[in-house]
């Protein structure tokens, strides 16, 4: 099983997808390519720290996390190597139903002709909310941006259950990306909201 993604931040929906792939009989092994790039206020190095410290110890034994600047490109490099070596393995790419469209027949046939021809490359689009928890990374980043007690509880609930006890530390780490500029924006937003209330 192969899962490329941003994971900014890692949440329950990501965890569900990885565990779903790890539990499927056809997958002896699952490789997850997680991005080291920044995404909005969540800095790559902070997201990787959270994954390394809190997430990896909770994952199934057959899951490997690989930090990558370009997850999709690195996944394809590995698949192209397997294709060139005429691997006997079967590879399944997992993603949500929108992102999975990137891995269409034309692309797979072009870059992985041997694996495609032999039926050894598959794609599985998983609809959020059906087999995985429906959580948006954007929503989590907004919570990090606008921290308060109510939002913290929601943030905690969006984390995988195995790491929820570390929610405060995880939020502290992920909040490092809030710059003085974003604090100033939040301050101005608060002033404007309060002005409208008068």
């Amino acid at each position: 099983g192969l899962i490329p993604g941003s994971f900014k931040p890692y949440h329950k929906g990501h965890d569900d997808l990885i565990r779903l792939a790890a539990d499927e009989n056809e997958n002896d092994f699952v490789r997850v390519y997680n991005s080291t790039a920044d995404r909005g206020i969540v800095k790559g190095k902070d997201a990787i720290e959270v994954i390394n410290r809190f997430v990896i110890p909770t994952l199934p034994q057959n899951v490997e996390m690989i930090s990558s600047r370009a997850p999709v490109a690195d996944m394809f490099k590995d698949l192209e190597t397997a294709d060139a070596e005429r691997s006997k393995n079967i590879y399944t790419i997992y993603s949500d139903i929108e992102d999975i469209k990137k891995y269409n027949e034309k692309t797979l046939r072009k870059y992985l002709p041997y694996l495609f021809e032999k039926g050894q490359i598959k794609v599985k689009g998983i609809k959020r909310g059906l087999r995985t928890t429906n959580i948006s990374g954007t929503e989590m980043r907004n919570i990090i941006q606008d921290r308060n007690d109510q939002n913290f509880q929601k943030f905690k609930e969006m984390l995988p259950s195995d790491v929820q006890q570390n929610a405060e530390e995880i939020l502290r780490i992920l909040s490092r990306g809030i710059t003085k500029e974003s604090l100033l924006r939040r301050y101005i937003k608060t002033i404007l909201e309060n002005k409208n209330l008068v």
Side-chain angles (χ1 to χ4, degrees), residues 2 5 20 23 26 44 52 67 73 80 96 98 115-116 125 130 136 143 149 151 156 158 177 188-189:
L2 304 169
L20 183 150
D23 286 345
E26 63 204 45
N52 288 341
S67 296
E80 287 170 346
D96 69 35
E98 288 307 311
L115 294 176
F116 183 84
L130 289 183
S136 157
I143 289 172
D149 291 341
N151 280 351
K156 182 176 180 179
M158 295 170 113
I188 292 168
K189 179 182 172 188

Side-chain angles (χ1 to χ4, degrees), residues 5-180:
S6 172
F7 304 100
K8 299 287 180 328
Y10 189 93
H11 56 61
K12 194 181 288 189
H14 298 137
D15 202 66
D16 290 346
L17 180 62
I18 290 168
R19 290 175 188 281
L20 183 150
D23 286 345
E24 291 199 339
N25 290 335
E26 63 204 45
N27 296 324
D28 295 325
F29 188 72
V30 175
R31 181 171 287 148
V32 181
Y33 300 82
N34 60 300
S35 173
T36 60
D38 297 345
R39 183 143 187 202
I41 61 162
V42 178
K43 302 304 176 198
K45 63 182 179 48
D46 297 333
I48 298 300
E49 180 180 342
V50 167
I51 288 170
N52 288 341
R53 283 180 59 191
F54 303 108
V55 174
I56 289 175
T58 70
L59 292 175
Q61 293 289 331
N62 65 335
V63 175
E64 176 187 20
M65 293 285 269
I66 299 172
S67 296
S68 164
R69 184 79 183 154
V72 172
D74 285 347
M75 177 189 72
F76 264 96
K77 282 181 199 170
D78 288 347
L79 285 170
E80 287 170 346
T81 299
D83 192 79
E85 294 173 352
R86 306 292 196 249
S87 171
K88 301 294 181 207
N89 294 328
I90 296 173
Y91 300 90
T92 305
I93 302 170
Y94 291 80
S95 190
D96 69 35
I97 57 171
E98 288 307 311
D99 288 342
I100 206 71
K101 293 174 185 174
K102 293 187 271 196
Y103 314 112
N104 56 52
E105 181 177 329
K106 182 179 177 183
T107 300
L108 297 176
R109 187 185 295 276
K110 178 180 177 181
Y111 293 104
L112 309 167
Y114 177 82
L115 294 176
F116 183 84
E117 193 61 39
K118 296 292 184 181
Q120 292 172 231
I121 184 78
K122 301 176 182 180
V123 295
K124 275 198 178 176
I126 308 295
K127 184 172 174 140
R128 290 182 191 183
L130 289 183
R131 298 178 68 194
T132 63
T133 307
N134 187 9
I135 293 179
S136 157
T138 302
E139 185 179 3
M140 287 193 80
R141 288 188 295 276
N142 289 338
I143 289 172
I144 294 166
Q145 180 80 34
D146 300 321
R147 294 174 65 159
N148 61 49
D149 291 341
Q150 184 180 3
N151 280 351
F152 172 73
Q153 188 56 37
K154 190 169 185 182
F155 176 84
K156 182 176 180 179
E157 290 167 3
M158 295 170 113
L159 292 172
S161 57
D162 289 341
V163 302
Q164 286 181 359
Q165 71 273 14
N166 303 110
E168 285 185 39
E169 178 70 1
I170 291 170
L171 184 57
R172 186 189 65 72
I173 293 167
L174 295 174
S175 297
R176 291 177 190 155
I178 299 177
T179 63
K180 290 179 183 176

